[in-house]
Amino acid sequence: MIAVAAVASAVLMVIQKNPIKSVLFMIVNFFCLAVIYLLLHAQFIAIIQILVYAGAIMVLFLFVIMLLNLGDESLLKEKVNFRKTIAYILSGVILLELIVGIILPPNLHPIRQSPDAFKIGTVEAIGATLFQNYLLPFEAVSILLLAAIVGVVVLAKKKFK
């Protein structure tokens, strides 16, 4: 049911002519994906999906769309050209590959699930791995991001003459 809602919202997102409605369907799609992550016992990814994508990225998309003030939608239509034809062909190939993947019996490639698979996506498992096995790279990335933030603030405060 959730997967059907995710696919339906993705299709509606693509076929909408109004960009605001398209972004709203994208938010619905992100929430459906978060629910799917929760059903797969990946709580951390589900929370990050909602916080980062449905929260911050979508607000940014809506802000940019409203800032652009697209107005007349007829000006945005493209005529059929070579790039569009290639895009249609590639989309057809991907759709065909998906259909073949769904139709093939699942016993061709047996899937074995690890006994610890339900622990992998939890916040506790990610935190333990991050702070036990990858502490030095984590701290190095933290310092790099802090330097980038300080650089952005310095550039933003620079006075232009």
Side-chain angles (χ1 to χ4, degrees), residues 57-72:
I57 300 293
M58 285 301 103
V59 169
L60 179 68
F61 277 21
L62 284 173
F63 180 73
V64 167
I65 288 171
M66 290 179 180
L67 188 67
L68 290 176
N69 194 14
L70 297 175
D72 190 13

Side-chain angles (χ1 to χ4, degrees), residues 5-147:
V7 170
S9 63
V11 169
L12 288 172
M13 174 188 67
V14 171
I15 64 172
Q16 288 296 317
K17 291 185 178 183
N18 187 342
I20 301 293
K21 289 179 183 175
S22 182
V23 168
L24 292 176
F25 280 116
M26 187 183 283
I27 292 172
V28 171
N29 186 277
F30 285 160
F31 276 104
C32 290
L33 290 179
V35 171
I36 290 172
Y37 288 141
L38 281 176
L39 293 174
L40 293 172
H41 302 285
Q43 297 96 357
F44 181 76
I45 297 175
I47 296 298
I48 293 299
Q49 174 79 21
I50 291 174
L51 288 177
V52 173
Y53 287 102
I57 300 293
M58 285 301 103
V59 169
L60 179 68
F61 277 21
L62 284 173
F63 180 73
V64 167
I65 288 171
M66 290 179 180
L67 188 67
L68 290 176
N69 194 14
L70 297 175
D72 190 13
E73 295 173 0
S74 64
L75 298 175
L76 299 175
K77 290 184 179 177
E78 289 185 29
K79 296 178 181 174
V80 177
N81 56 19
F82 181 70
R83 290 186 308 174
K84 210 169 189 177
T85 306
I86 295 295
Y88 285 134
I89 291 171
L90 289 176
S91 300
V93 169
I94 291 172
L95 181 65
L96 182 66
E97 187 175 330
L98 285 173
I99 291 171
V100 168
I102 291 171
I103 291 174
L104 282 181
N107 293 335
L108 291 177
H109 305 288
I111 299 171
R112 283 187 251 155
Q113 190 174 21
S114 170
D116 296 330
F118 66 93
K119 294 180 184 175
I120 292 174
T122 63
V123 176
E124 294 87 10
I126 291 174
T129 302
L130 193 63
F131 289 109
Q132 290 173 356
N133 299 335
Y134 299 103
L135 182 61
L136 184 62
F138 178 75
E139 292 298 330
V141 169
S142 300
I143 291 171
L144 181 67
L145 288 174
L146 180 64

